[in-house]
Amino acid sequence: MDAAYAEPLDIARLAAIAMVSSAHFIRIFKATFGETPHRYLQRRRIERASALLRDTDLPVTEICLAVGFTSLSTFTRTFGAVVGETPTAHRRRAATPGPVPTCFVKAWRRPA
């Protein structure tokens, strides 16, 4: 799932690889990772989208499709639920450097 996060989730195929039923795969996955395969995949996609928003100038729609979402509205809603802000706001905030921690300012201003 980590390597193919942009592909559609195929529980039946994953369950077949693990040689268990789909229902058993979902139960074992949740018991192991603390979340369902669908939720895990969404989180991985949002993490990758967050990195692309911070590090590239790609349009939000292109990032949405690149990480495996097929709907911009679903991507925006999911991103907001996970990150707490819209993809555009996330990009804008990431581009604006935050305040420098006081310890760095004091170290920089300290006489040599």
Side-chain angles (χ1 to χ4, degrees), residues 14-59:
L14 294 172
I17 291 170
M19 298 190 302
V20 295
S21 70
S22 295
H24 189 66
F25 177 78
I26 292 169
R27 279 193 306 274
I28 294 298
F29 191 96
K30 186 173 181 179
T32 304
F33 294 102
E35 56 192 350
T36 65
H38 178 72
R39 180 66 64 191
Y40 178 84
L41 182 61
Q42 275 191 332
R43 189 171 51 76
R44 297 292 299 144
R45 287 175 173 172
I46 294 300
E47 288 171 356
R48 181 65 185 142
S50 174
L52 289 172
L53 286 165
R54 284 190 318 264
D55 302 337
T56 70
D57 292 330
L58 292 172

Side-chain angles (χ1 to χ4, degrees), residues 53 60 75-81 83-93:
L53 286 165
V60 172
F75 170 69
T76 302
R77 186 177 60 250
T78 305
F79 194 93
V83 178
E85 59 190 350
T86 66
T88 304
H90 183 72
R91 171 175 273 167
R92 194 177 311 119
R93 187 178 55 76

